[in-house]
Amino acid sequence: MWHEERLFINGELREASNGATFENINPATEEVIGVSADASEADFGEALAAARDAFDESEWSTNLELRLRCLGQLHEALENHVDELTAITVAEVGATQMACSSIQVVEPLKIIPFYMDVAKGYEWSTDLGVTETLGGQCQRWFEKEPVGVLAAITPWNVPTQVNLAKIIPALAAGCCVVLKPAPDTPWTGLALGKLIAENTDFPPGVVNVISAADPAAGSYLTNDHRVDMISFTGSTATGRKVMEAASANITKVFLELGGKSALIALDDVDDFAMVAATAAFGMATVCGQGCALSTRILLPRSRYDEAVDAIAAMMAAVPPGDPTDSATMMGPLINASQRDRVERYVQSAIDEGARIVCGGTRPDDLEHGFFYEPTLIADVENSMKVGQEEIFGPVLVAIPFDDDDEAAMIANDSIYGLSGAVFSGDEQRALKVAKQIRTGTMSVNGGVWYGADVPFGGFKQSGIGREMGIAGFEEHLETKAYSKPV
Ligand code: NAD
């Protein structure tokens, strides 16, 4: 299988300095598909030194034309390797072919031309005119500059999407980056190093990609004074550690964290088919391992049984299966410990008095792989563990409500605020509820908010900052004001 297992440091593809490697496991077969370089602390240090030098010494931060040329070359290389990227994404993430043709591989590539256009058209300098200030006449203006060296730390669930959403706006803005993908999905990250090395004019050190077996090896980046900004996507628990480490050098943090989003179906929906399809197919796309998925399904008490039946029927239509089969709609969980975690949550729901409507077990027909049946849990109270905590597996919880205000109140009763959805026969009524939810994105009656131009991020403990869109570009800029006497 086409892949890269070497680190990409200072423009070179190379082994870890101590020669160490770690295994890459296919979650659908439990087989070892190969290895990746296991970077040492010294390798992290070299990657940071290279990024620092590239930012401080090369023309990358000031030469927009060079940046656009290199990003265009990377985009072309990625477009030419969609099949190879799909193959490694299926193998190391357990992603389905369908997911690869959308959110896992194909859609994220659009991030590159989007940010090339943004950088090209951006107002890098803004004139504030001449004014009388503190007794003198001065001409004032401000300029935007890249933040500097970016440490990008990413999770395993949609790795190409997150890797590109992290590094592309930063590179377009003029930053230099060290990307550390998650240990479960190193190849999708290291492939970027390979494609850059073999197809582009990126100056050495502008992009570095570094894999390591120890998940916490990312801390070599978060507490280093050479880093100007940490861009982290992962769990809220790790986000807290990242923020704590960043405090040592007051390093800027940009955090995309967990979610426990609510889909609200109001009592005037025609039927629950659309609601059920949105809930079940969304969950299936990444086997429930999506930060922005609606995993709490809030249903009107007056039609609760009808809605639960519709959702259960739709979930039965997405059984887990072999992700190499193009008809499969849901693959496995990423690893055994993630499956154990899901099982613990399902047991906690049973212990707290909730009812398993469907699923709740591993599939009988799949001997290998970290598969789990799509699971719907009913009679859930929002205060239960499964109502409050991110499960990150194919598990939806159905919570009843009595009126629109109570639905909004339940949706907001969460430490998270990443996404959500509202369905109603009356669009205005749906919008009224959507506006009450403290969350970064909302879908109204099935609207799809995902896209390179749409700012994405969280309220509350779902994060700090916005990825994608113009906002995602400006996260990587500093503002410097100037004045001169006239
Ligand atoms: P995680 O927090 O365990 O790990 C994320 C990354 O951080 C990995 O690369 C890991 O190696 C690294 N890491 C772990 N400990 C670290 C430390 N002490 N210092 C620095 N880096 C460290 O998350 P995960 O299990 O890989 O991914 C699942 C989580 O990611 C879920 O909570 C999900 O909601 C979240 N997520 C959020 C978004 C978003 O955009 N908001 C997108 C995808 C995933």
Side-chain angles (χ1 to χ4, degrees), residues 153-158 162 180-183 214-220 222 232-239 241-242 255-259 289-292 338 341 390 392 418 456-457 462 467:
I153 301 174
T154 56
W156 41 261
N157 59 337
V158 275
V162 183
K180 192 211 82 70
D214 177 4
S219 59
Y220 295 136
T222 52
F232 171 83
T233 297
S235 61
T236 295
T238 309
K241 291 185 196 161
V242 168
L255 304 174
E256 296 286 357
L257 307 176
Q289 303 165 112
C291 53
Q338 194 65 23
R341 174 188 163 98
E390 189 179 42
F392 233 52
L418 194 54
F456 170 69
S462 286
E467 205 155 69

mmCIF file of all heavy atoms in Angstrom, residues 153-158 162 180-183 214-220 222 232-239 241-242 255-259 289-292 338 341 390 392 418 456-457 462 467, ligand 1:
data_model
loop_
_atom_site.group_PDB
_atom_site.id
_atom_site.type_symbol
_atom_site.label_atom_id
_atom_site.label_comp_id
_atom_site.label_asym_id
_atom_site.label_seq_id
_atom_site.Cartn_x
_atom_site.Cartn_y
_atom_site.Cartn_z
ATOM 1 N N ILE A 153 -1.573 19.808 16.729
ATOM 2 C CA ILE A 153 -1.731 18.467 17.333
ATOM 3 C C ILE A 153 -3.133 17.984 16.998
ATOM 4 O O ILE A 153 -4.118 18.689 17.278
ATOM 5 C CB ILE A 153 -1.516 18.547 18.860
ATOM 6 C CG1 ILE A 153 -0.107 19.085 19.150
ATOM 7 C CG2 ILE A 153 -1.723 17.190 19.503
ATOM 8 C CD1 ILE A 153 0.163 19.352 20.620
ATOM 9 N N THR A 154 -3.224 16.806 16.409
ATOM 10 C CA THR A 154 -4.520 16.404 15.838
ATOM 11 C C THR A 154 -4.972 15.010 16.305
ATOM 12 O O THR A 154 -4.151 14.173 16.698
ATOM 13 C CB THR A 154 -4.450 16.424 14.291
ATOM 14 O OG1 THR A 154 -3.385 15.583 13.854
ATOM 15 C CG2 THR A 154 -4.223 17.823 13.768
ATOM 16 N N PRO A 155 -6.289 14.753 16.230
ATOM 17 C CA PRO A 155 -6.849 13.463 16.630
ATOM 18 C C PRO A 155 -6.942 12.499 15.439
ATOM 19 O O PRO A 155 -6.546 12.831 14.328
ATOM 20 C CB PRO A 155 -8.236 13.851 17.128
ATOM 21 C CG PRO A 155 -8.635 14.968 16.209
ATOM 22 C CD PRO A 155 -7.362 15.696 15.831
ATOM 23 N N TRP A 156 -7.531 11.341 15.698
ATOM 24 C CA TRP A 156 -7.532 10.263 14.710
ATOM 25 C C TRP A 156 -8.851 10.119 13.963
ATOM 26 O O TRP A 156 -8.946 9.324 13.033
ATOM 27 C CB TRP A 156 -7.223 8.918 15.397
ATOM 28 C CG TRP A 156 -7.936 8.785 16.724
ATOM 29 C CD1 TRP A 156 -7.387 9.009 17.953
ATOM 30 C CD2 TRP A 156 -9.308 8.457 16.958
ATOM 31 N NE1 TRP A 156 -8.337 8.854 18.938
ATOM 32 C CE2 TRP A 156 -9.527 8.501 18.351
ATOM 33 C CE3 TRP A 156 -10.382 8.128 16.123
ATOM 34 C CZ2 TRP A 156 -10.767 8.231 18.934
ATOM 35 C CZ3 TRP A 156 -11.624 7.861 16.697
ATOM 36 C CH2 TRP A 156 -11.796 7.913 18.081
ATOM 37 N N ASN A 157 -9.893 10.839 14.352
ATOM 38 C CA ASN A 157 -11.217 10.471 13.823
ATOM 39 C C ASN A 157 -11.464 10.907 12.376
ATOM 40 O O ASN A 157 -12.015 10.142 11.597
ATOM 41 C CB ASN A 157 -12.327 10.975 14.753
ATOM 42 C CG ASN A 157 -12.300 12.474 14.953
ATOM 43 O OD1 ASN A 157 -11.273 13.118 14.786
ATOM 44 N ND2 ASN A 157 -13.430 13.028 15.308
ATOM 45 N N VAL A 158 -11.054 12.129 12.028
ATOM 46 C CA VAL A 158 -11.142 12.581 10.624
ATOM 47 C C VAL A 158 -9.789 13.230 10.303
ATOM 48 O O VAL A 158 -9.703 14.448 10.145
ATOM 49 C CB VAL A 158 -12.318 13.546 10.362
ATOM 50 C CG1 VAL A 158 -13.601 12.813 10.093
ATOM 51 C CG2 VAL A 158 -12.507 14.532 11.500
ATOM 52 N N VAL A 162 -8.856 17.289 9.688
ATOM 53 C CA VAL A 162 -8.312 18.118 10.777
ATOM 54 C C VAL A 162 -6.884 18.561 10.447
ATOM 55 O O VAL A 162 -6.519 19.719 10.676
ATOM 56 C CB VAL A 162 -8.389 17.384 12.132
ATOM 57 C CG1 VAL A 162 -7.896 18.310 13.245
ATOM 58 C CG2 VAL A 162 -9.803 16.937 12.439
ATOM 59 N N LYS A 180 1.739 17.197 14.492
ATOM 60 C CA LYS A 180 1.845 15.896 15.153
ATOM 61 C C LYS A 180 0.495 15.190 15.103
ATOM 62 O O LYS A 180 -0.433 15.532 15.841
ATOM 63 C CB LYS A 180 2.275 16.046 16.616
ATOM 64 C CG LYS A 180 2.659 14.700 17.216
ATOM 65 C CD LYS A 180 2.391 14.593 18.693
ATOM 66 C CE LYS A 180 0.984 14.267 19.059
ATOM 67 N NZ LYS A 180 0.526 12.902 18.734
ATOM 68 N N PRO A 181 0.372 14.216 14.194
ATOM 69 C CA PRO A 181 -0.896 13.476 14.135
ATOM 70 C C PRO A 181 -1.013 12.503 15.313
ATOM 71 O O PRO A 181 -0.036 12.248 16.017
ATOM 72 C CB PRO A 181 -0.798 12.711 12.809
ATOM 73 C CG PRO A 181 0.641 12.704 12.430
ATOM 74 C CD PRO A 181 1.347 13.786 13.196
ATOM 75 N N ALA A 182 -2.216 11.971 15.512
ATOM 76 C CA ALA A 182 -2.449 11.018 16.603
ATOM 77 C C ALA A 182 -1.745 9.693 16.304
ATOM 78 O O ALA A 182 -1.604 9.307 15.141
ATOM 79 C CB ALA A 182 -3.950 10.796 16.771
ATOM 80 N N PRO A 183 -1.319 8.966 17.350
ATOM 81 C CA PRO A 183 -0.605 7.698 17.131
ATOM 82 C C PRO A 183 -1.442 6.639 16.414
ATOM 83 O O PRO A 183 -0.877 5.737 15.789
ATOM 84 C CB PRO A 183 -0.245 7.221 18.538
ATOM 85 C CG PRO A 183 -0.652 8.280 19.480
ATOM 86 C CD PRO A 183 -1.373 9.363 18.758
ATOM 87 N N ASP A 214 3.776 7.513 21.756
ATOM 88 C CA ASP A 214 3.224 8.003 23.018
ATOM 89 C C ASP A 214 2.295 9.180 22.739
ATOM 90 O O ASP A 214 2.740 10.210 22.239
ATOM 91 C CB ASP A 214 4.391 8.445 23.924
ATOM 92 C CG ASP A 214 3.896 9.035 25.239
ATOM 93 O OD1 ASP A 214 2.667 9.025 25.472
ATOM 94 O OD2 ASP A 214 4.732 9.529 26.016
ATOM 95 N N PRO A 215 0.999 9.037 23.063
ATOM 96 C CA PRO A 215 0.080 10.139 22.761
ATOM 97 C C PRO A 215 0.540 11.452 23.394
ATOM 98 O O PRO A 215 0.374 12.525 22.816
ATOM 99 C CB PRO A 215 -1.245 9.684 23.379
ATOM 100 C CG PRO A 215 -1.124 8.231 23.613
ATOM 101 C CD PRO A 215 0.334 7.906 23.717
ATOM 102 N N ALA A 216 1.133 11.355 24.573
ATOM 103 C CA ALA A 216 1.511 12.580 25.288
ATOM 104 C C ALA A 216 2.805 13.214 24.769
ATOM 105 O O ALA A 216 3.244 14.239 25.297
ATOM 106 C CB ALA A 216 1.628 12.289 26.778
ATOM 107 N N ALA A 217 3.414 12.616 23.729
ATOM 108 C CA ALA A 217 4.635 13.209 23.171
ATOM 109 C C ALA A 217 4.355 14.617 22.643
ATOM 110 O O ALA A 217 5.277 15.423 22.509
ATOM 111 C CB ALA A 217 5.186 12.326 22.048
ATOM 112 N N GLY A 218 3.087 14.910 22.388
ATOM 113 C CA GLY A 218 2.714 16.264 21.959
ATOM 114 C C GLY A 218 3.143 17.318 22.968
ATOM 115 O O GLY A 218 3.311 18.487 22.623
ATOM 116 N N SER A 219 3.351 16.890 24.211
ATOM 117 C CA SER A 219 3.745 17.870 25.234
ATOM 118 C C SER A 219 5.150 18.417 24.969
ATOM 119 O O SER A 219 5.496 19.477 25.484
ATOM 120 C CB SER A 219 3.651 17.269 26.639
ATOM 121 O OG SER A 219 4.491 16.155 26.710
ATOM 122 N N TYR A 220 5.967 17.738 24.145
ATOM 123 C CA TYR A 220 7.266 18.320 23.756
ATOM 124 C C TYR A 220 7.047 19.611 22.955
ATOM 125 O O TYR A 220 7.933 20.446 22.870
ATOM 126 C CB TYR A 220 8.074 17.354 22.885
ATOM 127 C CG TYR A 220 8.496 16.086 23.594
ATOM 128 C CD1 TYR A 220 8.380 14.852 22.953
ATOM 129 C CD2 TYR A 220 9.031 16.119 24.876
ATOM 130 C CE1 TYR A 220 8.765 13.681 23.586
ATOM 131 C CE2 TYR A 220 9.406 14.950 25.516
ATOM 132 C CZ TYR A 220 9.269 13.731 24.869
ATOM 133 O OH TYR A 220 9.645 12.578 25.492
ATOM 134 N N THR A 222 4.052 21.557 23.359
ATOM 135 C CA THR A 222 3.186 22.542 24.024
ATOM 136 C C THR A 222 3.919 23.386 25.052
ATOM 137 O O THR A 222 3.435 24.451 25.424
ATOM 138 C CB THR A 222 1.990 21.844 24.701
ATOM 139 O OG1 THR A 222 2.493 20.782 25.530
ATOM 140 C CG2 THR A 222 1.037 21.285 23.671
ATOM 141 N N PHE A 232 -4.729 22.927 18.672
ATOM 142 C CA PHE A 232 -4.985 21.575 19.163
ATOM 143 C C PHE A 232 -6.417 21.150 18.867
ATOM 144 O O PHE A 232 -7.357 21.907 19.132
ATOM 145 C CB PHE A 232 -4.750 21.527 20.683
ATOM 146 C CG PHE A 232 -5.199 20.241 21.320
ATOM 147 C CD1 PHE A 232 -4.382 19.126 21.303
ATOM 148 C CD2 PHE A 232 -6.456 20.144 21.921
ATOM 149 C CE1 PHE A 232 -4.813 17.930 21.874
ATOM 150 C CE2 PHE A 232 -6.891 18.955 22.486
ATOM 151 C CZ PHE A 232 -6.066 17.843 22.464
ATOM 152 N N THR A 233 -6.586 19.967 18.350
ATOM 153 C CA THR A 233 -7.913 19.356 18.252
ATOM 154 C C THR A 233 -7.855 18.024 18.971
ATOM 155 O O THR A 233 -6.979 17.197 18.695
ATOM 156 C CB THR A 233 -8.352 19.151 16.793
ATOM 157 O OG1 THR A 233 -8.462 20.418 16.165
ATOM 158 C CG2 THR A 233 -9.704 18.463 16.718
ATOM 159 N N GLY A 234 -8.773 17.832 19.888
ATOM 160 C CA GLY A 234 -8.811 16.574 20.637
ATOM 161 C C GLY A 234 -9.820 16.692 21.751
ATOM 162 O O GLY A 234 -10.725 17.533 21.705
ATOM 163 N N SER A 235 -9.653 15.872 22.766
ATOM 164 C CA SER A 235 -10.643 15.838 23.842
ATOM 165 C C SER A 235 -10.493 17.063 24.750
ATOM 166 O O SER A 235 -9.424 17.668 24.829
ATOM 167 C CB SER A 235 -10.452 14.567 24.660
ATOM 168 O OG SER A 235 -9.162 14.582 25.232
ATOM 169 N N THR A 236 -11.556 17.376 25.441
ATOM 170 C CA THR A 236 -11.522 18.506 26.373
ATOM 171 C C THR A 236 -10.522 18.222 27.500
ATOM 172 O O THR A 236 -9.810 19.132 27.941
ATOM 173 C CB THR A 236 -12.941 18.772 26.905
ATOM 174 O OG1 THR A 236 -13.740 19.191 25.778
ATOM 175 C CG2 THR A 236 -12.972 19.853 27.960
ATOM 176 N N ALA A 237 -10.426 16.959 27.920
ATOM 177 C CA ALA A 237 -9.479 16.619 29.000
ATOM 178 C C ALA A 237 -8.047 16.939 28.575
ATOM 179 O O ALA A 237 -7.284 17.554 29.331
ATOM 180 C CB ALA A 237 -9.619 15.142 29.359
ATOM 181 N N THR A 238 -7.659 16.547 27.348
ATOM 182 C CA THR A 238 -6.300 16.850 26.884
ATOM 183 C C THR A 238 -6.156 18.342 26.616
ATOM 184 O O THR A 238 -5.101 18.927 26.865
ATOM 185 C CB THR A 238 -5.964 16.033 25.616
ATOM 186 O OG1 THR A 238 -6.258 14.668 25.860
ATOM 187 C CG2 THR A 238 -4.490 16.157 25.255
ATOM 188 N N GLY A 239 -7.226 18.969 26.144
ATOM 189 C CA GLY A 239 -7.199 20.418 25.902
ATOM 190 C C GLY A 239 -6.828 21.188 27.166
ATOM 191 O O GLY A 239 -6.087 22.174 27.117
ATOM 192 N N LYS A 241 -4.905 20.087 29.535
ATOM 193 C CA LYS A 241 -3.456 19.915 29.755
ATOM 194 C C LYS A 241 -2.656 20.811 28.817
ATOM 195 O O LYS A 241 -1.638 21.383 29.188
ATOM 196 C CB LYS A 241 -3.050 18.448 29.501
ATOM 197 C CG LYS A 241 -3.579 17.487 30.533
ATOM 198 C CD LYS A 241 -3.028 16.104 30.262
ATOM 199 C CE LYS A 241 -3.827 15.062 31.016
ATOM 200 N NZ LYS A 241 -3.661 13.718 30.495
ATOM 201 N N VAL A 242 -3.139 20.912 27.580
ATOM 202 C CA VAL A 242 -2.450 21.746 26.588
ATOM 203 C C VAL A 242 -2.451 23.210 27.055
ATOM 204 O O VAL A 242 -1.425 23.899 27.016
ATOM 205 C CB VAL A 242 -3.129 21.604 25.211
ATOM 206 C CG1 VAL A 242 -2.652 22.658 24.221
ATOM 207 C CG2 VAL A 242 -2.881 20.202 24.646
ATOM 208 N N LEU A 255 -8.148 25.961 20.428
ATOM 209 C CA LEU A 255 -8.580 24.629 20.853
ATOM 210 C C LEU A 255 -9.901 24.230 20.193
ATOM 211 O O LEU A 255 -10.886 24.969 20.282
ATOM 212 C CB LEU A 255 -8.766 24.603 22.375
ATOM 213 C CG LEU A 255 -7.563 25.019 23.238
ATOM 214 C CD1 LEU A 255 -7.965 25.080 24.710
ATOM 215 C CD2 LEU A 255 -6.406 24.043 23.060
ATOM 216 N N GLU A 256 -9.898 23.086 19.576
ATOM 217 C CA GLU A 256 -11.132 22.476 19.043
ATOM 218 C C GLU A 256 -11.345 21.199 19.842
ATOM 219 O O GLU A 256 -10.595 20.235 19.668
ATOM 220 C CB GLU A 256 -10.970 22.133 17.551
ATOM 221 C CG GLU A 256 -10.764 23.322 16.638
ATOM 222 C CD GLU A 256 -12.023 24.135 16.408
ATOM 223 O OE1 GLU A 256 -13.097 23.754 16.907
ATOM 224 O OE2 GLU A 256 -11.919 25.168 15.733
ATOM 225 N N LEU A 257 -12.354 21.190 20.718
ATOM 226 C CA LEU A 257 -12.449 20.090 21.689
ATOM 227 C C LEU A 257 -13.717 19.253 21.496
ATOM 228 O O LEU A 257 -14.251 19.179 20.399
ATOM 229 C CB LEU A 257 -12.342 20.678 23.094
ATOM 230 C CG LEU A 257 -11.114 21.573 23.306
ATOM 231 C CD1 LEU A 257 -11.124 22.213 24.686
ATOM 232 C CD2 LEU A 257 -9.816 20.815 23.085
ATOM 233 N N GLY A 258 -14.160 18.655 22.557
ATOM 234 C CA GLY A 258 -15.248 17.690 22.451
ATOM 235 C C GLY A 258 -16.623 18.309 22.282
ATOM 236 O O GLY A 258 -16.776 19.532 22.307
ATOM 237 N N GLY A 259 -17.610 17.452 22.122
ATOM 238 C CA GLY A 259 -18.982 17.916 21.973
ATOM 239 C C GLY A 259 -19.977 16.895 22.478
ATOM 240 O O GLY A 259 -19.654 15.709 22.672
ATOM 241 N N GLN A 289 -17.756 8.591 15.990
ATOM 242 C CA GLN A 289 -16.535 9.223 16.502
ATOM 243 C C GLN A 289 -16.344 10.608 15.873
ATOM 244 O O GLN A 289 -15.338 10.883 15.223
ATOM 245 C CB GLN A 289 -15.338 8.325 16.211
ATOM 246 C CG GLN A 289 -15.494 6.924 16.807
ATOM 247 C CD GLN A 289 -14.514 5.934 16.220
ATOM 248 O OE1 GLN A 289 -13.624 5.471 16.908
ATOM 249 N NE2 GLN A 289 -14.653 5.621 14.952
ATOM 250 N N GLY A 290 -17.358 11.431 16.037
ATOM 251 C CA GLY A 290 -17.307 12.776 15.457
ATOM 252 C C GLY A 290 -17.618 13.790 16.534
ATOM 253 O O GLY A 290 -18.614 13.650 17.257
ATOM 254 N N CYS A 291 -16.771 14.810 16.640
ATOM 255 C CA CYS A 291 -16.950 15.810 17.693
ATOM 256 C C CYS A 291 -18.266 16.556 17.537
ATOM 257 O O CYS A 291 -18.898 16.925 18.508
ATOM 258 C CB CYS A 291 -15.790 16.788 17.657
ATOM 259 S SG CYS A 291 -15.544 17.497 16.023
ATOM 260 N N ALA A 292 -18.672 16.805 16.275
ATOM 261 C CA ALA A 292 -19.832 17.669 16.027
ATOM 262 C C ALA A 292 -21.122 16.875 15.807
ATOM 263 O O ALA A 292 -22.146 17.461 15.476
ATOM 264 C CB ALA A 292 -19.556 18.555 14.812
ATOM 265 N N GLN A 338 -11.176 2.210 22.834
ATOM 266 C CA GLN A 338 -12.344 3.029 22.508
ATOM 267 C C GLN A 338 -13.613 2.174 22.600
ATOM 268 O O GLN A 338 -14.655 2.636 23.073
ATOM 269 C CB GLN A 338 -12.179 3.619 21.100
ATOM 270 C CG GLN A 338 -13.129 4.735 20.769
ATOM 271 C CD GLN A 338 -12.916 5.990 21.616
ATOM 272 O OE1 GLN A 338 -11.840 6.203 22.153
ATOM 273 N NE2 GLN A 338 -13.955 6.780 21.760
ATOM 274 N N ARG A 341 -14.480 1.699 26.154
ATOM 275 C CA ARG A 341 -15.077 2.936 26.688
ATOM 276 C C ARG A 341 -16.570 2.986 26.347
ATOM 277 O O ARG A 341 -17.413 3.300 27.186
ATOM 278 C CB ARG A 341 -14.320 4.105 26.056
ATOM 279 C CG ARG A 341 -14.828 5.482 26.344
ATOM 280 C CD ARG A 341 -14.060 6.478 25.454
ATOM 281 N NE ARG A 341 -14.741 7.742 25.364
ATOM 282 C CZ ARG A 341 -14.442 8.807 26.098
ATOM 283 N NH1 ARG A 341 -13.451 8.757 26.946
ATOM 284 N NH2 ARG A 341 -15.118 9.926 25.970
ATOM 285 N N GLU A 390 -19.102 12.778 26.631
ATOM 286 C CA GLU A 390 -18.886 12.408 25.230
ATOM 287 C C GLU A 390 -18.513 10.922 25.174
ATOM 288 O O GLU A 390 -17.511 10.512 25.754
ATOM 289 C CB GLU A 390 -17.738 13.267 24.671
ATOM 290 C CG GLU A 390 -17.571 13.140 23.181
ATOM 291 C CD GLU A 390 -16.433 14.021 22.663
ATOM 292 O OE1 GLU A 390 -15.374 14.080 23.312
ATOM 293 O OE2 GLU A 390 -16.602 14.606 21.589
ATOM 294 N N PHE A 392 -18.237 9.017 22.155
ATOM 295 C CA PHE A 392 -17.397 8.829 20.970
ATOM 296 C C PHE A 392 -17.489 7.393 20.441
ATOM 297 O O PHE A 392 -16.501 6.685 20.254
ATOM 298 C CB PHE A 392 -15.942 9.217 21.264
ATOM 299 C CG PHE A 392 -15.413 10.215 20.267
ATOM 300 C CD1 PHE A 392 -16.100 11.383 19.998
ATOM 301 C CD2 PHE A 392 -14.229 9.985 19.569
ATOM 302 C CE1 PHE A 392 -15.634 12.298 19.063
ATOM 303 C CE2 PHE A 392 -13.748 10.896 18.633
ATOM 304 C CZ PHE A 392 -14.451 12.054 18.380
ATOM 305 N N LEU A 418 -20.729 22.663 20.808
ATOM 306 C CA LEU A 418 -20.041 22.588 19.514
ATOM 307 C C LEU A 418 -21.006 22.681 18.331
ATOM 308 O O LEU A 418 -20.744 23.381 17.366
ATOM 309 C CB LEU A 418 -19.225 21.288 19.441
ATOM 310 C CG LEU A 418 -18.198 21.200 18.316
ATOM 311 C CD1 LEU A 418 -17.245 22.380 18.328
ATOM 312 C CD2 LEU A 418 -17.396 19.895 18.421
ATOM 313 N N PHE A 456 -15.933 27.165 12.088
ATOM 314 C CA PHE A 456 -16.361 26.031 12.909
ATOM 315 C C PHE A 456 -15.604 26.068 14.235
ATOM 316 O O PHE A 456 -14.382 26.257 14.260
ATOM 317 C CB PHE A 456 -16.045 24.720 12.169
ATOM 318 C CG PHE A 456 -16.221 23.501 13.021
ATOM 319 C CD1 PHE A 456 -17.489 23.103 13.413
ATOM 320 C CD2 PHE A 456 -15.134 22.768 13.452
ATOM 321 C CE1 PHE A 456 -17.659 21.987 14.216
ATOM 322 C CE2 PHE A 456 -15.294 21.643 14.252
ATOM 323 C CZ PHE A 456 -16.559 21.256 14.639
ATOM 324 N N GLY A 457 -16.317 25.888 15.324
ATOM 325 C CA GLY A 457 -15.649 25.867 16.619
ATOM 326 C C GLY A 457 -16.665 25.867 17.728
ATOM 327 O O GLY A 457 -17.868 25.818 17.477
ATOM 328 N N SER A 462 -16.121 23.374 24.560
ATOM 329 C CA SER A 462 -15.845 22.774 23.242
ATOM 330 C C SER A 462 -14.705 23.487 22.537
ATOM 331 O O SER A 462 -14.300 23.057 21.453
ATOM 332 C CB SER A 462 -17.107 22.794 22.369
ATOM 333 O OG SER A 462 -18.017 21.808 22.812
ATOM 334 N N GLU A 467 -12.074 27.479 13.409
ATOM 335 C CA GLU A 467 -11.319 26.866 12.329
ATOM 336 C C GLU A 467 -12.142 27.041 11.057
ATOM 337 O O GLU A 467 -13.369 27.109 11.136
ATOM 338 C CB GLU A 467 -11.193 25.369 12.648
ATOM 339 C CG GLU A 467 -10.018 24.698 12.011
ATOM 340 C CD GLU A 467 -9.615 23.479 12.830
ATOM 341 O OE1 GLU A 467 -10.363 22.492 12.860
ATOM 342 O OE2 GLU A 467 -8.545 23.522 13.434
HETATM 343 P P1 NAD B 1 -6.980 13.165 22.526
HETATM 344 O O1 NAD B 1 -7.260 14.405 23.277
HETATM 345 O O2 NAD B 1 -6.734 11.927 23.271
HETATM 346 O O3 NAD B 1 -5.704 13.366 21.575
HETATM 347 C C1 NAD B 1 -5.643 14.384 20.603
HETATM 348 C C2 NAD B 1 -4.194 14.620 20.246
HETATM 349 O O4 NAD B 1 -3.493 15.096 21.395
HETATM 350 C C3 NAD B 1 -3.437 13.368 19.803
HETATM 351 O O5 NAD B 1 -2.521 13.702 18.776
HETATM 352 C C4 NAD B 1 -2.680 12.969 21.056
HETATM 353 O O6 NAD B 1 -1.523 12.218 20.771
HETATM 354 C C5 NAD B 1 -2.324 14.329 21.626
HETATM 355 N N1 NAD B 1 -2.050 14.363 23.071
HETATM 356 C C6 NAD B 1 -2.451 13.494 24.033
HETATM 357 N N2 NAD B 1 -1.997 13.899 25.245
HETATM 358 C C7 NAD B 1 -1.320 15.046 25.038
HETATM 359 C C8 NAD B 1 -0.636 15.951 25.893
HETATM 360 N N3 NAD B 1 -0.559 15.760 27.213
HETATM 361 N N4 NAD B 1 -0.043 17.037 25.351
HETATM 362 C C9 NAD B 1 -0.115 17.273 24.021
HETATM 363 N N5 NAD B 1 -0.754 16.443 23.142
HETATM 364 C C10 NAD B 1 -1.348 15.345 23.655
HETATM 365 O O7 NAD B 1 -8.194 13.014 21.497
HETATM 366 P P2 NAD B 1 -8.464 11.808 20.506
HETATM 367 O O8 NAD B 1 -8.916 10.651 21.326
HETATM 368 O O9 NAD B 1 -7.314 11.648 19.581
HETATM 369 O O10 NAD B 1 -9.690 12.394 19.650
HETATM 370 C C11 NAD B 1 -10.997 12.380 20.114
HETATM 371 C C12 NAD B 1 -11.385 13.718 20.709
HETATM 372 O O11 NAD B 1 -11.141 14.766 19.763
HETATM 373 C C13 NAD B 1 -12.852 13.810 21.025
HETATM 374 O O12 NAD B 1 -13.019 14.411 22.286
HETATM 375 C C14 NAD B 1 -13.426 14.709 19.924
HETATM 376 O O13 NAD B 1 -14.598 15.393 20.277
HETATM 377 C C15 NAD B 1 -12.274 15.630 19.695
HETATM 378 N N6 NAD B 1 -12.358 16.246 18.351
HETATM 379 C C16 NAD B 1 -12.718 17.554 18.269
HETATM 380 C C17 NAD B 1 -12.838 18.157 17.020
HETATM 381 C C18 NAD B 1 -13.229 19.601 16.905
HETATM 382 O O14 NAD B 1 -13.000 20.175 15.854
HETATM 383 N N7 NAD B 1 -13.802 20.214 17.932
HETATM 384 C C19 NAD B 1 -12.575 17.428 15.848
HETATM 385 C C20 NAD B 1 -12.204 16.094 15.981
HETATM 386 C C21 NAD B 1 -12.095 15.514 17.247
#
